[in-house]
Amino acid sequence: MSSNFCSKPVDVSKFGIIYAGAQKNVGPSGVTIVIIRKDLIGNAQPVTPVMLDYKIHDENKSLYNTPPCYGIYMCGLVFEDLLEQGGLVEIEKKNKRKADILYNAIDESKGFYRCPVEKSVRSLMNVPFTLEKAELEAEFVKEAAKEKMVQLKGHRSVGGMRASIYNAMPLAGVEKLVAFMKEFQAKHALESWFTNWWNTRQSEIFLNDIQEKSILKEFLDLEELLRLDEMIKEYPETHLQKPRIEIYKETIQLIKMHNEDCIHTILHFSTNMGTSFLYFTI
């Protein structure tokens, strides 16, 4: 056992031997706790190293070698504290509450955060999770560090993030992490929504622009014909040097050039106005 040792009650009678590291919930690294059934002591094979022959440790009351005194002393202080809190039954309740808050935040994020572990076997001590967009994970770790929440980067073999909420982690620490996660999600969800909205609106604007140009074209075609008629009326038939069709073509071309300049000016002005308004509203 390692991370889960002393995080909850364990029926030791169901185990032949429990080999536990102290460095997660009990004390400094370097201390190992072994709980072994008495009937298993004294059955070591001849090739078993002395330090793994528990008969020797039992006969010497765990003092066969020089023990890590300070580490054991620290473990004793932790055990006293656990008892003052109500023992492992109460410790488990606190750990479940912390884990539930964090797992609920992940599960209720609508996929923004994801836990790769099946619910029935999730750890109360280490909560791994990933982001829907993996490219945001480095930013998540960096921004969390600014809020003095460190060591959230996931294990190198798994990736993502990992929140270690051992016995020593207070409820307030988990609540702070959850608040940060929700804020981070809201920030990037808004960016995603705005990007999607902008892309959609751009399409709508583009379609409206096409519709407007179509209407303008029909209007200008009519306007061109009216102007042509007015120009022709001003000249007597004898003064026309070219057939009417030639005059019509040249006149239409001149009018189109004039109208296109007007259209471009209007579109340029309206686009700049729209952009200015967009930046103002952001």
Side-chain angles (χ1 to χ4, degrees):
M1 294 183 178
S2 179
S3 298
N4 62 340
F5 186 64
C6 284
S7 67
K8 60 182 180 180
V10 174
D11 185 358
V12 296
S13 66
K14 294 182 178 180
F15 298 84
I17 182 172
I18 295 176
Y19 187 94
Q23 67 273 13
K24 305 297 184 181
N25 282 322
V26 177
S29 59
V31 177
T32 302
I33 298 173
V34 177
I35 303 174
I36 185 171
R37 246 186 18 231
K38 289 186 176 181
D39 62 292
L40 295 178
I41 296 176
N43 296 312
Q45 298 181 14
V47 296
T48 302
V50 172
M51 293 306 297
L52 295 179
D53 186 346
Y54 297 120
K55 182 175 183 296
I56 294 176
H57 291 289
D58 180 51
E59 292 174 344
N60 290 274
K61 298 182 179 180
S62 297
L63 295 173
Y64 176 77
N65 64 317
T66 303
C69 298
Y70 183 74
I72 294 174
Y73 168 73
M74 294 298 295
C75 290
L77 295 179
V78 172
F79 291 144
E80 290 176 3
D81 180 66
L82 293 177
L83 291 173
E84 288 178 3
Q85 293 185 57
L88 296 185
V89 172
E90 293 301 317
I91 293 298
E92 182 182 27
K93 291 179 182 178
K94 293 179 180 180
N95 287 333
K96 281 186 175 180
R97 185 181 178 190
K98 292 186 297 182
D100 285 344
I101 291 174
L102 186 48
Y103 282 121
N104 287 340
I106 295 170
D107 294 338
E108 295 172 2
S109 69
K110 298 181 180 180
F112 188 84
Y113 300 106
R114 298 174 181 175
C115 178
V117 182
E118 206 279 322
K119 289 186 178 182
S120 64
V121 292
R122 287 177 173 178
S123 170
L124 298 182
M125 297 289 97
N126 289 295
V127 180
F129 60 95
T130 59
L131 268 67
E132 181 180 21
K133 296 181 179 179
E135 61 270 20
L136 292 178
E137 292 179 356
E139 181 183 348
F140 181 94
V141 173
K142 181 179 178 180
E143 292 300 315
K146 292 180 181 179
E147 300 297 325
K148 302 188 184 303
M149 291 179 285
V150 297
Q151 301 300 320
L152 284 169
K153 187 176 181 180
H155 193 276
R156 59 183 177 275
S157 64
V158 180
M161 269 69 64
R162 180 180 65 174
S164 295
I165 51 175
Y166 302 124
N167 290 353
M169 172 60 68
L171 177 63
V174 177
E175 291 175 335
K176 180 178 180 179
L177 173 60
V178 168
F180 170 78
M181 291 170 65
K182 291 181 178 179
E183 181 181 344
F184 188 86
Q185 178 183 357
K187 172 186 173 183
H188 289 281
L190 179 61
E191 289 179 358
S192 177
W193 174 87
F194 180 78
T195 300
N196 181 64
W197 175 86
W198 174 245
N199 290 336
T200 303
R201 290 293 299 164
Q202 283 289 73
S203 299
E204 292 176 0
I205 292 171
F206 180 70
L207 291 174
N208 290 339
D209 188 46
I210 291 176
Q211 293 170 353
E212 289 174 3
K213 285 185 177 180
S214 177
I215 294 172
L216 280 173
K217 183 179 183 302
E218 293 179 8
F219 174 78
L220 293 174
D221 286 344
L222 176 60
E223 184 183 18
E224 289 163 2
L225 291 174
L226 292 174
R227 288 188 183 184
L228 178 60
D229 287 340
E230 292 296 323
M231 292 176 65
I232 292 176
K233 288 178 182 178
E234 294 178 4
Y235 292 91
E237 190 71 25
T238 56
H239 290 169
L240 295 176
Q241 301 297 321
K242 296 181 180 180
R244 281 177 175 256
I245 187 65
E246 294 298 326
I247 296 175
Y248 180 83
K249 287 182 179 180
E250 291 185 13
T251 307
I252 290 297
Q253 186 62 32
L254 289 172
I255 293 173
K256 280 185 176 180
M257 290 173 60
H258 169 74
N259 287 333
E260 283 179 1
D261 289 340
C262 292
I263 291 172
H264 290 158
T265 301
I266 292 171
L267 289 177
H268 179 71
F269 176 74
S270 62
T271 301
N272 288 341
M273 285 292 289
T275 304
S276 299
F277 177 74
L278 174 64
Y279 283 116
F280 178 77
T281 55
I282 290 175

